Amino acid sequence: MTDHASTAGEVYTESGSAESYGLHAGVLGPIETLAQSVSATAPSTSPSLTIPLVFALAGNATWFVYLLATVTTLLVGFCISRFAKLSASPGSLYSYTADTLPPFFGVIAAWGLLLAYLATGASGRGWRALLYEPAGTAVFHWSPPGMITLALVCAVAGFVAYRDVKLSAELMLWIEVGSVSLIVLVLAVMPIRFGLHIDMDQFHLKGASFSALGPALVLSMFSFVGF
């Protein structure tokens, strides 16, 4: 244990804790850092989009799938927390992988992170554009084409982030607070409006198939992708 800890400490000390990585120090405080973490996790996205897709695959086993995904995510978070005590850098998982495993695994981690960022960003903007179009039609009886909406949303978000990253982080936090508050309000009203019902079929995993648990587990992990 002692040898491993000292070796790991030497590995991370070599890079130096004072490296700037080209970033300005002290720009984001604890609130803004928390805001970035919360907005990246996107707690308002999972209840409205991901959970219904998981339920379509897993049915009554949805809660079990999310239990497995939560345990897996906690284990990953525990591993990251151990590394983060020794080193912290913008390279995130790539830095940890490259410093502790052969270079091949570092390359895999780097490309995996890049593809995940691109795919998550594209899918997030895409489904928002798809939702805005029917929402605008229902409320205003007219909405711009999806690509125009997508370009406008990306342009506004990029401008705010470029203008002031601190403002961008705080804005993301308040957007998530508002979205989650509305979701909690809907969930609180439903039992009052329709009554509280306990679905025993879920506890018996009635109608759930083992073959559907794999794809459902992949989708449920997407709920934690920001984390």
Side-chain angles (χ1 to χ4, degrees):
M1 290 294 292
T2 304
D3 294 339
H4 175 72
S6 60
T7 303
E10 291 171 2
V11 169
Y12 292 110
T13 305
E14 289 177 2
S15 60
S17 59
E19 290 188 47
S20 66
Y21 298 97
L23 303 176
H24 295 289
V27 174
L28 300 180
I31 298 298
E32 290 78 19
T33 304
L34 174 65
Q36 285 192 324
S37 301
V38 172
S39 60
T41 309
S44 60
T45 303
S46 182
S48 60
L49 181 68
T50 313
I51 292 179
L53 295 176
V54 175
F55 180 77
L57 290 171
N60 286 320
T62 299
W63 68 270
F64 179 68
V65 170
Y66 267 96
L67 177 62
L68 294 178
T70 302
V71 171
T72 303
T73 303
L74 289 175
L75 291 175
V76 173
F78 173 76
C79 293
I80 294 175
S81 69
R82 305 304 297 177
F83 281 106
K85 288 183 178 180
L86 301 174
S87 171
S89 75
S92 64
L93 290 180
Y94 161 75
S95 298
Y96 302 146
T97 306
D99 287 340
T100 55
L101 295 174
F104 171 78
F105 295 99
V107 173
I108 295 297
W111 277 106
L113 283 170
L114 178 60
L115 293 176
Y117 284 133
L118 292 175
T120 303
S123 63
R125 301 321 184 266
W127 77 261
R128 282 179 174 84
L130 291 175
L131 288 180
Y132 290 153
E133 189 169 351
T137 303
V139 177
F140 303 106
H141 304 289
W142 177 87
S143 64
M147 289 304 296
I148 296 179
T149 305
L150 176 61
L152 181 62
V153 170
C154 292
V156 172
F159 174 77
V160 173
Y162 174 78
R163 183 78 184 207
D164 187 355
V165 68
K166 191 172 183 178
L167 173 63
S168 173
E170 293 176 353
L171 180 61
M172 289 188 295
L173 178 62
W174 286 112
I175 289 175
E176 287 298 335
V177 169
S179 301
V180 173
S181 299
L182 291 175
I183 292 174
V184 171
L185 179 63
V186 172
L187 294 177
V189 169
M190 286 181 63
I192 299 175
R193 177 67 177 82
F194 300 101
L196 183 63
H197 303 279
I198 299 178
D199 187 6
M200 298 303 298
D201 290 340
Q202 294 191 44
F203 295 99
H204 298 95
L205 305 180
K206 183 178 180 180
S209 61
F210 183 78
S211 60
L213 295 184
L217 185 59
V218 173
L219 277 176
S220 65
M221 288 299 297
F222 189 75
S223 297
F224 300 98
V225 68
F227 168 82

